[in-house]
Amino acid sequence: GQIQNLTWSPGASYTNFGPFYTVFSNLKYVSLEQATAGGLAAAKLLDSKKATRVKVLKVRDLTVLADYFVIASGTSSTHVKSLAEEVEFQFKEKGVAPIRTEGFNTQNWFILDYANVIVHVFSPDARDYYDLDHLWADGEDVPMDFIEE
């Protein structure tokens, strides 16, 4: 539907995923469409900040951990940290705080857990080492029309 048309920038309209933020911030059940909007919003934000190898995997049928994993890489430890901080900041601006975060001490792999959506931001070496792309290969790749190949 309208999810591909979402924009994530200052002053943009977020009406399409307003219910995602309202429901998600209260940690209630989130529909698959709402979780999809959240995952795509995180991916688009990461892409806009020059993250590499950005992908959204639908893992809802594979695990109870989340509906979606957003996986991205930064080019350096500083870039990785700034990517994770930007996602956290932008989501908090919309009233959504992560349930928990991990990695702010290591700066190789940051995890932002938003219940139905878990955002993973890796250094290139950590991404290759942990290889979530292979581990969750049975997950369904979610199309991201906003990312240019």
Side-chain angles (χ1 to χ4, degrees), residues 34-135:
Q34 292 164 330
T36 303
L40 288 172
K44 187 167 187 176
L45 175 61
L46 289 163
D47 180 62
S48 75
K49 297 298 180 182
K50 307 299 184 206
T52 60
R53 297 168 55 196
V54 179
K55 71 183 331 181
V56 178
L57 287 177
K58 180 181 171 190
V59 295
R60 180 181 197 143
D61 298 329
L62 304 174
T63 182
V64 297
L65 296 175
D67 293 327
Y68 292 94
F69 286 165
V70 178
I71 305 171
S73 300
T75 56
S76 67
S77 60
T78 304
H79 188 217
V80 170
K81 182 178 181 188
S82 69
L83 290 169
E85 288 174 342
E86 187 65 15
V87 170
E88 185 174 20
F89 173 77
Q90 291 294 338
F91 273 48
K92 279 184 180 176
E93 286 288 300
K94 297 298 171 197
V96 181
I99 295 169
R100 73 169 185 257
T101 61
E102 296 289 335
F104 283 86
N105 295 330
T106 66
Q107 298 188 9
N108 289 318
W109 179 8
F110 290 84
I111 301 169
L112 301 165
D113 185 348
Y114 292 98
N116 294 73
V117 177
I118 300 176
V119 179
H120 301 270
V121 184
F122 288 98
S123 69
D125 290 340
R127 184 161 182 175
D128 292 339
Y129 179 79
Y130 292 105
D131 202 9
L132 289 189
D133 301 84
H134 178 72
L135 183 64

Side-chain angles (χ1 to χ4, degrees), residues 7-25:
T7 55
W8 189 270
S9 60
S13 171
Y14 300 101
T15 55
N16 287 344
F17 52 101
F20 164 78
Y21 287 109
T22 302
V23 175
F24 206 33
S25 64

